[in-house]
């Protein structure tokens, strides 16, 4: 359910999926009040996972170096502040990734060397088993969560596996929802900053049938409102959740929970939504995916990005 002013109100209607009979709870990582999983010369890093994705959020020190020696698939580097840039070395050579940028890093060996200090976000699929083992909520996924479709990667970039870098400095545009980039494993939507609390008369409660949403708060604070469907089995019912999360924090929203998030503070409230694999409905909207020319759509009938 979207307000008429919300660009998502123009999304094509999705045919109802199978009726869910079991539900997973949401996972919340409040990094500001929990110990990091890593605290070393690189800085302090927190790791949290969803069914298919690992979020590594770091308060990086100047000179930090994040190395992947045998990364099995493409991953994402997000540098949300202009004051922290990176030199990224891959099999194709070295390239500067300025602060306030997003980069898609090819599989294989890579090294990220940070210049300056500030937040550094890396997004991996759960094929990165060494990182999965370090996530704070590993126990939540002792058994796969219900209702989440199997992971299907998207096609590789049209010019092959190499580093792709994009500036976050993209102006808002009427009719376009956020600032969306996709790769072969992830879709990242850096939403416009909310200045002041969100208008409570224009919230956007909605649900996803078969994919999780990861909401990363970078600035300010958000209340994530979640409600699960009722079924004929009272044992499957879950209480509503209204989770107040300051930045930095992550909320992993499971399907088919109805959800909406609202900025809470008087200043800037900045949220980033992450989907693994990319969303098909967003990809079908002309102009929404800013790097659509670099990463092709999957062939019809593949079942990717449902």
């Amino acid at each position: 359910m979207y307000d008429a002013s919300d660009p998502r109100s123009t999304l094509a209607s999705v045919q109802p999926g199978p009726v869910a009979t079991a539900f997973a709870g949401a996972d919340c990582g409040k990094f500001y009040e929990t110990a990091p999983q890593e605290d070393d010369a690189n800085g302090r890093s927190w790791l949290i996972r969803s069914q298919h994705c690992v979020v590594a959020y770091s308060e990086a020190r100047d000179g930090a170096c994040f190395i992947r020696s045998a990364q099995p698939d493409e991953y994402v580097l997000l540098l949300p502040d202009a004051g922290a840039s990176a030199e990224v070395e891959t099999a194709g050579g070295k390239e500067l990734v300025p602060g306030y940028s997003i980069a898609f890093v090819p599989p294989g060996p890579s090294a990220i060397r940070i210049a300056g200090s500030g937040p550094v976000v890396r997004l991996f699929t759960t094929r990165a088993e060494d990182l999965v083992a370090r996530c704070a909520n590993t126990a939540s996924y002792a058994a796969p969560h219900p209702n989440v479709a199997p992971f299907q990667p998207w096609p590789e970039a049209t010019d092959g596996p190499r580093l792709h870098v994009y500036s976050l400095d993209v102006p808002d545009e009427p009719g376009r929802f956020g600032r969306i980039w996709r790769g072969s494993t992830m879709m990242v939507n850096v939403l416009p900053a909310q200045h002041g609390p969100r208008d409570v008369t224009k919230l956007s409660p909605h649900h996803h049938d078969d994919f999780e949403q990861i909401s990363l708060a970078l600035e300010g604070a958000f209340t994530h409102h979640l409600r699960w469907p009722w079924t004929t089995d009272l044992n499957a019912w879950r209480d509503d959740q209204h989770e107040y999360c300051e930045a930095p924090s992550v909320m992993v929203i499971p399907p088919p929970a109805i959800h909406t998030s609202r900025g809470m503070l008087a200043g800037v409230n900045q949220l980033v939504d992450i989907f693994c694999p990319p969303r098909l409905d967003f990809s079908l909207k002309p102009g929404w995916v800013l790097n659509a020319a670099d990463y092709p759509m999957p062939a019809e009938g593949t079942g990717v990005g449902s």
Side-chain angles (χ1 to χ4, degrees), residues 73-92:
D73 51 11
E74 186 178 68
Y75 69 99
V76 173
L77 169 66
L78 176 65
L79 300 175
D81 285 4
S85 61
E87 179 190 73
V88 178
E89 183 175 4
T90 67

Side-chain angles (χ1 to χ4, degrees), residues 11 14 27 76 87 92 146 159 174 191 199 201 206 214 240 251 275:
L11 287 170
V14 177
D27 273 306
V76 173
E87 179 190 73
D159 55 356
L191 294 158
D199 184 347
T201 69
H206 62 284
I214 301 170
D240 290 354
M251 176 64 79
F275 304 96

